Amino acid sequence: MKLLLMGMNHRSAPLEIRERMAVDDPVPPLRKLVSSDEIDEAVLISTCNRVEVVVLTREIESARHRLRSFFRRDLGDASLGERELDGCCYVHRESEAMRHVLRVASALDSMVVGEPQILGQAKEAYRTAVECGASGPILDRLFQRAFATAKRIRTDTRIAEGPTSVARVGVGLARQIFEDLSGKRALMIGAGEMIELALTALRKEGLESVCVANRTAERAAELAGRFDASAHGLDELPALLSDADVVLTSIGGSRPILTRELMQQALSARRSRPIFVIDIGVPRNADPAIDALEEVFRYDIDDLASLASANAEGRRQELVLAEAIVSEEQQRFEGWFVALRAVPTIRHLRSRVEEIRNRELERGLARLDLDDRSREGVEALTRSIVNKILHAPLSRLRREAEREEGMAYLELARMLFGLDDDETSDESSER
Amino acid sequence: MDALLLQLTALVYLAAGILAGAARVLSHGWLSRAAVVALGAGALLQGLKFSLLHTADSPPPLTDGPTAVSFMAWIGTVAFLALLWRFRLVGLVALVAPLSFIGVFYAALSPAAVAEAEVGAGSLPHAHVLLASAGLALLGISGMAGAAFLAEYSRLKRKRHLVGSPAWPSLEALDRVNALALALGFPLLTLGVVTGALWVRSLHGAPWTGSAHETWCLLAWLVYAVLVTLRFGLGQGARRSAQTALAGFAFAGFAVVGVELLL
């Protein structure tokens, strides 16, 4: 069994490609993926910054081909060429794949290093895979290890200090445009987790006037209620935009909602006041053409990424500590994963010995005239002898299997106990 | 003593500029604080130098070019320090300190001023130089804020990293400084032009002789009158105001200094 991971993120693929890969409902593609012969288990992580699939397979190359077609046909659109896809995707095998999953869950591979959202997103991706039957014992163990690693890093390092969310980076930018945010008006388009985080960050800055606009009015009202903001429908956008100073948008949809025409209409009522648009939607919610408007400052998720990487520089020391923790946890999982190769040999050996015990017990009992109680006693005795004899070699095999040279022990055990010989030769030799 | 104070002031302004530059490169907060302190110390020394002029037996005139430039640098520095805390302009010390240094250094290198008797016309020359220099100093701050605004605007539009610290002031703060300096500087410049005309009349019997200096200074005043109208009367936007403030100061600089040197 081998681990394989294929994906694209904010560093490997431009936003134009990532937004074509955005997955609204991961269940159908995930079910389709695990129904193929090459894939035994799979988890799909899809966020605004990454689309990744980690799978368990018996044959790496065929699984890789399967994942390529999965990205092209089941996630992306048909117009995405193979070369274009290959240029944007990365593939990690075995140890690399394990490490990558641990780093992703720990936010070390995030656009804003140390950001807290990715852990929740990874947990959600894992839960979805479990619920639709795509994840199995191996990926279960890998993701549990990843969550434990993330928790350990947050506890043992200061990686989560500083501006650790897109919202915080956005607030920092807003302060470069506006002198004081407290008197400004914010418009939040969408009502998801990112909007909630941004609202928290903006409230901390003392921003008092906040509007939430969303497709579903109930969700907008619920979020607005919690943050003492006003709730609106998307049809009110033109009026809301003409009043807003900071616009943060993260809402689903294949077409931009902040078009050039809409922004021009809003700007005409603003008397040259600047407007700062933070677009963290994937696909983008704000048309890049609005950059041409003089008073508009638009930043999308990729623009924020480059700013966030500058923040990470200041936490280089913490990054070293976090990477060391990842290495340690990776080693633990790898030990467990490698030890799994001993399982077939141990099972085979146990069943072979049990078979011999049963056969010899039957023969012996047939020659002896014993009552039921005595028969049970003899049976328990033979079982106990077998278990005691096997205990030490099996324990040793499990331990050794975790090491690189463990394979030699497994082969030796198979040879010594004749596990690769066929049953008939086995029986004839006994006679 | 005067010359020594002026040289010392130039040295302190230079130190402020170096500290502010180092603060930007090394991103050390204490360096930028030290730069502000040095700029304040320079302004105090220069203020002391000007106050000592009145204790002299025969006060030198302020009407010569180097003294006027030095006075302009002092007013500009003091006005900047007054605005610094209100608008968090620490990031601009790296621009202001070198300009203050150049103004004072130029005065320190220049020969001593001519006797006041040659200038004549009572206190009008002093009033003219003080008002016009103060007005130009404030309009200089307006132009500098405009230049900083345009640089920041361009950086934010191109989505580039902010390199070094302390951070530049926000666009909004720079626009407010631009507007405030224009609102204060233009009336002072107007008074400077009026007192200049009165001074000319006291010397020549008419407020206008048609000299190149008078013509260009009047043109500069007209340019600023248009800028003030655009900004406060017609609601000109922040970016256009920054551009016009920069262009206006370049024109005024040429009208006051360039014309004297070139024409």
Side-chain angles (χ1 to χ4, degrees), chain A residues 34 92-93 131 133 189 216 289 305 333 369 401 419:
Chain A
V34 285
H92 296 308
R93 296 169 173 82
E131 280 168 10
I189 305 176
T216 50
F333 177 78
D369 182 23
L419 298 181

Side-chain angles (χ1 to χ4, degrees), chain A residues 62-76:
Chain A
S62 54
R64 195 172 68 84
H65 287 300
R66 176 69 190 91
L67 286 186
R68 278 180 83 205
S69 71
F70 175 72
F71 266 76
R72 280 195 66 210
R73 292 182 193 145
D74 301 320
L75 297 183

Side-chain angles (χ1 to χ4, degrees), chain A residues 173 175-180 184 271-272 291 293-294 296-299 303 306-307 309-310, chain B residues 86-88 152-153 155-157 159-162 169-173 176 235 237 239-240:
Chain A
L173 272 171
R175 290 172 67 87
Q176 290 170 30
I177 296 169
F178 303 108
E179 190 191 348
D180 181 8
K184 302 295 173 210
R271 288 178 57 85
S272 305
D291 283 351
L293 301 172
E294 193 176 307
V296 176
F297 297 89
R298 181 196 64 90
Y299 280 69
D303 302 324
S306 59
L307 293 170
S309 63
Chain B
R86 169 65 187 85
F87 294 102
R88 295 186 214 137
E152 265 300 90
Y153 177 89
R155 182 185 69 78
L156 285 164
K157 269 287 193 187
K159 299 157 188 184
R160 296 277 166 86
H161 295 298
L162 179 69
S170 66
L171 287 183
E172 196 177 41
R176 284 193 187 180
R239 185 161 163 255
R240 292 261 181 274

Side-chain angles (χ1 to χ4, degrees), chain A residues 6-274:
Chain A
M6 185 168 174
M8 59 173 66
N9 64 14
H10 55 284
R11 280 189 298 274
S12 72
L15 187 52
E16 293 78 20
I17 300 283
R18 286 190 339 258
E19 55 195 7
R20 283 159 72 180
M21 289 287 171
V23 183
D24 285 337
D25 180 8
V27 174
L30 209 46
R31 281 201 174 127
K32 196 172 170 188
L33 185 65
V34 285
S35 68
S36 55
D37 292 339
E38 301 90 346
I39 310 294
D40 293 310
E41 297 178 24
V43 174
L44 168 65
I45 302 175
S46 174
T47 72
C48 52
N49 286 325
R50 66 183 66 245
V51 181
E52 290 180 347
V53 188
V54 56
V55 298
L56 189 73
T57 179
R58 274 152 288 169
E59 218 287 292
I60 286 264
E61 272 314 298
S62 54
R64 195 172 68 84
H65 287 300
R66 176 69 190 91
L67 286 186
R68 278 180 83 205
S69 71
F70 175 72
F71 266 76
R72 280 195 66 210
R73 292 182 193 145
D74 301 320
L75 297 183
D77 54 47
S79 63
L80 194 67
E82 268 190 42
R83 270 194 189 171
E84 202 176 2
L85 182 71
D86 287 346
C88 296
C89 279
Y90 43 80
V91 175
H92 296 308
R93 296 169 173 82
E94 305 194 74
S95 301
E96 273 179 36
M98 290 171 201
R99 186 175 185 85
H100 186 81
V101 171
L102 301 189
R103 293 186 80 249
V104 166
S106 309
L108 299 182
D109 195 56
S110 291
M111 190 174 87
V112 182
V113 173
E115 51 100 357
Q117 294 84 43
I118 187 64
L119 183 58
Q121 288 164 333
K123 281 182 177 172
E124 182 60 37
Y126 164 70
R127 196 163 34 242
T128 304
V130 169
E131 280 168 10
C132 73
S135 182
I138 310 289
L139 289 187
D140 279 354
R141 184 83 173 218
L142 175 63
F143 274 82
Q144 293 306 338
R145 178 60 51 203
F147 302 149
T149 306
K151 192 177 170 189
R152 210 182 134 194
I153 285 173
R154 295 190 78 78
T155 313
D156 295 357
T157 74
R158 289 182 299 156
I159 200 82
E161 287 180 10
T164 54
S165 69
V166 167
R168 295 294 311 166
V169 174
V171 165
L173 272 171
R175 290 172 67 87
Q176 290 170 30
I177 296 169
F178 303 108
E179 190 191 348
D180 181 8
L181 289 181
S182 61
K184 302 295 173 210
R185 289 167 183 232
L187 168 62
M188 306 280 145
I189 305 176
E193 191 193 356
M194 295 301 273
I195 293 290
E196 197 172 328
L197 282 164
L199 260 173
T200 311
L202 288 169
R203 280 281 190 239
K204 273 186 193 164
E205 289 294 318
L207 202 132
E208 284 162 16
S209 174
V210 180
C211 309
V212 179
N214 195 36
R215 280 202 187 87
T216 50
E218 297 78 21
R219 176 76 184 120
E222 193 264 320
L223 188 65
R226 271 193 287 138
F227 286 90
D228 196 21
S230 57
H232 305 267
L234 289 186
D235 54 323
E236 295 175 68
L237 271 186
L240 293 170
L241 281 169
S242 59
D243 276 342
D245 300 297
V246 179
V247 177
L248 197 138
T249 171
S250 177
I251 195 166
S254 56
R255 301 182 65 159
I257 52 167
L258 298 181
T259 59
R260 190 180 166 132
E261 293 71 34
L262 183 65
M263 292 306 288
Q264 259 171 336
Q265 189 188 332
L267 287 172
S268 62
R270 296 177 58 82
R271 288 178 57 85
S272 305
R273 277 186 297 127

